[in-house]
Amino acid sequence: MNTTVTLEFLGDLPQASFAEFAAHRAARLSLSHTMIAQDAGRALVQLTGPEALVDAFEMALSLGPQTCVVRDVRRQENRRKPPE
């Protein structure tokens, strides 16, 4: 079952490297993603896909990329989507 989640990452997040890393990881996990907002200290990402893969994305971005330091992650929204 797919879920839609909005994750807020807080920390030291250079925009270009964090956005590129997020797009790469979302693609590797076959997740639909949208970067809703981003600045040097905050990134808001909306994801849709299987819950386990959304969780894997959250973990991957919490640990990388090397140029970023994620201090906190918040799930702002979590809606289940019916199977397609």
Side-chain angles (χ1 to χ4, degrees):
M1 178 177 285
N2 282 347
T3 188
T4 297
V5 176
T6 302
L7 298 172
E8 181 180 30
F9 295 91
L10 302 169
D12 300 323
L13 311 172
Q15 291 179 339
S17 60
F18 190 82
E20 181 181 335
F21 190 74
H24 183 263
R25 289 299 178 255
R28 284 194 88 170
L29 295 167
S30 299
L31 297 170
S32 171
H33 92 289
T34 302
M35 185 70 68
I36 297 171
Q38 185 184 12
D39 60 35
R42 175 179 174 261
L44 201 58
V45 183
Q46 186 174 56
L47 300 156
T48 300
E51 189 168 358
L53 296 180
V54 170
D55 292 345
F57 176 92
E58 180 180 348
M59 180 60 68
L61 266 71
S62 294
L63 299 173
Q66 187 174 3
T67 58
C68 299
V69 176
V70 175
R71 299 192 195 305
D72 195 17
V73 180
R74 300 178 188 154
R75 284 186 184 239
Q76 292 188 327
E77 182 180 339
N78 194 345
R79 294 187 318 268
R80 298 251 181 235
K81 292 186 86 172
E84 297 176 5

